[in-house]
Amino acid sequence: MTTTTPTVTAAPVTDAAPVAPRQHRRSRSRRSTPLTIAMLAALAYFLLPLFWLLVASTKSTQDLFNSFGLWFSDAPQLLTNIKETFVQDDGVFLHWLLNTVMYAGVSAVGAALLAAGAGYGFAKFRFRGDRAAFNLVLGAVMVPTTALAIPTYLLFAEAGLVNTPWAIILPSLVNPFGLYLMRVYAQDAIPDSILEAARIDGAGEARIFFTIALRLLAPGLVTVLLFTLVATWNNYFLPLIMLNDPDLYPITVGLSSWAAQAQNGGAGASSDMLALVVTGSLISILPLVVAFLLLQRYWQSGLAAGGVKQ
């Protein structure tokens, strides 16, 4: 009796795995009414003052009091207000604006570089008393800057630096929070292996910092620069007590002097002085908006750094 064995034909082997049919699934998004209301309230909280400032800049002083605050008047005059702002008091507003750009720019760059150097040193070097020194920096973060204004004034008065640009720039260079931020950022952003390789190749510590470390610290550097830029740009109390010459005023103190003239009717005050103060406030925030728009890609890359483990 002969038995026949059935022949089994093997299926051809292919590299690609069989593709399973795609299943389209609808993603169900959760909606929270309280959360939506809270977000809208936060949005209104941040945007309404800016919208009011934009609307108020198009009005005369009379319309500021006689028209609805959150909408334009029947006769908007934004261009006229801008022109009058720049020609008032022989164009002193432009001088104040340039002073503010100089104070904030020099302070921001200097504070960012000092914070980067000190943060890099705390993160990558060990020395006697490093923990105590860093704890002292953390304690300085909790001290409000207004509490140091009077001691700073007395110190600068003894040094003969009162009523000079250095009275604004030098205190702004000290940024304990920026130092803390750069120390934490440098700890993970700069691998020790890169530093050891550079030292083996014969590079000095200064060259390593300026050619390697600063490039890796760029996102954190931009963050400190932006924070210092905004803080110095909006600083009012320190220039108020340090400066007596109107030609040295930043825009905050200058607009405050205009507002005092508008309220008291002092010399040089015009009928539309209050409208010029509002328009000057709108103009003063535009450079900060431009700075954020130009530097946001570096800032966003810094926020994303460290999100992926190697």
Side-chain angles (χ1 to χ4, degrees), residues 11-304:
V13 179
T14 59
D15 295 337
V19 179
R22 294 181 178 179
Q23 297 180 355
H24 300 280
R25 297 181 179 179
R26 280 187 174 182
S27 60
R28 298 179 179 178
S29 58
R30 293 183 176 181
R31 296 183 179 180
S32 173
T33 301
L35 182 60
T36 302
I37 295 175
M39 292 300 295
L40 291 176
L43 185 66
Y45 176 81
F46 288 109
L47 293 184
L48 274 180
L50 296 178
F51 181 72
W52 178 90
L53 185 61
L54 177 62
V55 171
S57 299
T58 65
K59 300 179 180 181
S60 63
T61 300
Q62 183 178 4
D63 290 336
L64 284 174
F65 296 99
N66 296 335
S67 61
F68 180 58
L70 293 178
W71 198 244
F72 302 92
S73 63
D74 296 334
Q77 54 177 35
L78 177 61
L79 296 180
T80 302
N81 287 344
I82 293 176
K83 179 182 177 181
E84 293 296 327
T85 301
F86 280 100
V87 302
Q88 179 70 25
D89 293 341
D90 298 327
V92 71
F93 178 81
L94 180 61
H95 194 70
W96 292 340
L97 187 61
L98 294 177
N99 287 342
T100 307
V101 172
M102 188 265 291
Y103 296 153
V106 175
S107 300
V109 174
L113 290 177
L114 287 177
Y120 170 76
F122 275 116
K124 297 303 177 180
F125 294 93
R126 293 294 174 264
F127 52 90
R128 181 177 298 178
D130 57 343
R131 291 183 178 273
F134 188 69
N135 290 334
L136 185 63
V137 172
L138 292 181
V141 173
M142 307 304 296
V143 179
T145 55
T146 53
L148 300 176
I150 301 301
T152 304
Y153 173 80
L154 297 176
L155 180 64
F156 276 61
E158 291 292 332
L161 296 177
V162 172
N163 204 32
T164 65
W166 296 110
I168 308 302
I169 295 175
L170 291 180
S172 302
L173 296 178
V174 181
N175 190 344
F177 176 74
L179 193 157
Y180 168 74
L181 183 66
M182 292 304 298
R183 191 264 183 189
V184 174
Y185 188 82
Q187 189 70 39
D188 297 326
I190 304 177
D192 293 334
S193 58
I194 294 180
L195 302 181
E196 292 299 329
R199 294 186 181 112
I200 292 174
D201 290 340
E205 295 298 335
R207 184 180 179 184
I208 292 174
F209 174 72
F210 286 105
T211 60
I212 298 176
L214 273 184
R215 294 184 180 182
L216 298 175
L217 293 175
L221 196 72
V222 172
T223 302
V224 177
L225 187 145
L226 284 175
F227 283 165
T228 309
L229 182 71
V230 174
T232 309
W233 191 282
N234 295 328
N235 198 351
Y236 171 74
F237 188 57
L238 181 65
L240 181 65
I241 66 173
M242 288 290 189
L243 303 177
N244 299 321
D245 188 358
D247 290 335
L248 295 176
Y249 283 172
I251 204 167
T252 51
V253 180
L255 290 178
S256 176
S257 66
W258 275 5
Q261 290 181 19
Q263 292 178 357
N264 301 327
S270 63
S271 59
D272 279 342
M273 182 67 78
L274 188 58
L276 301 186
V277 173
V278 176
T279 306
S281 301
L282 176 66
I283 297 173
S284 68
I285 68 173
L286 295 181
L288 293 180
V289 174
V290 173
F292 269 88
L293 292 178
L294 292 178
L295 298 176
Q296 66 174 344
R297 64 189 185 99
Y298 299 101
W299 198 15
Q300 289 174 356
S301 64
L303 295 177

